[in-house]
């Protein structure tokens, strides 16, 4: 039986990204920054970013390397 981390690796990035209304590239960047594919860790990272954005409701700018 696979462990939870390996099961998450099998999920398509596009599916996860759509859950948070992100592009696949933005989600890959987040995964790289936090060095984890754990759902809870990603969710916490996104919540922290949103709370620092002053009530921002979109994820534009979450990845400082991406230009709009």
């Amino acid at each position: 039986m696979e462990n939870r981390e390996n099961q998450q690796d099998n999920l398509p990035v596009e599916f996860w990204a759509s859950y948070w209304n992100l592009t696949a590239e933005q989600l890959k960047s987040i995964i790289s920054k936090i060095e984890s594919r754990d759902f809870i860790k990603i969710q916490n990272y996104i919540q922290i970013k949103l709370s620092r954005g002053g009530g921002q409701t979109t994820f534009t700018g979450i990845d400082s390397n991406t230009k709009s």
Side-chain angles (χ1 to χ4, degrees), residues 4-33:
R4 195 172 118 212
E5 189 75 20
N6 288 341
Q7 289 173 351
Q8 291 174 354
D9 287 344
N10 294 331
L11 291 175
V13 173
E14 293 81 12
F15 174 77
W16 278 37
S18 68
Y19 176 81
W20 288 294
N21 196 29
L22 298 170
T23 66
E25 295 307 315
Q26 287 174 314
L27 182 55
K28 288 177 186 176
S29 175
I30 290 170
I31 291 168
S32 175
K33 286 178 185 177

Side-chain angles (χ1 to χ4, degrees), residues 1-66:
M1 179 180 259
E2 292 181 85
N3 67 28
R4 195 172 118 212
E5 189 75 20
N6 288 341
Q7 289 173 351
Q8 291 174 354
D9 287 344
N10 294 331
L11 291 175
V13 173
E14 293 81 12
F15 174 77
W16 278 37
S18 68
Y19 176 81
W20 288 294
N21 196 29
L22 298 170
T23 66
E25 295 307 315
Q26 287 174 314
L27 182 55
K28 288 177 186 176
S29 175
I30 290 170
I31 291 168
S32 175
K33 286 178 185 177
I34 65 174
E35 298 177 346
S36 176
R37 288 178 164 253
D38 182 72
F39 178 88
I40 300 299
K41 289 180 182 179
I42 295 169
Q43 181 68 32
N44 288 340
Y45 179 87
I46 291 170
Q47 286 178 337
I48 288 168
K49 285 295 190 178
L50 286 177
S51 68
R52 291 182 183 168
Q56 180 181 348
T57 57
T58 65
F59 296 104
T60 305
I62 240 177
D63 180 11
S64 60
N65 296 329
T66 318

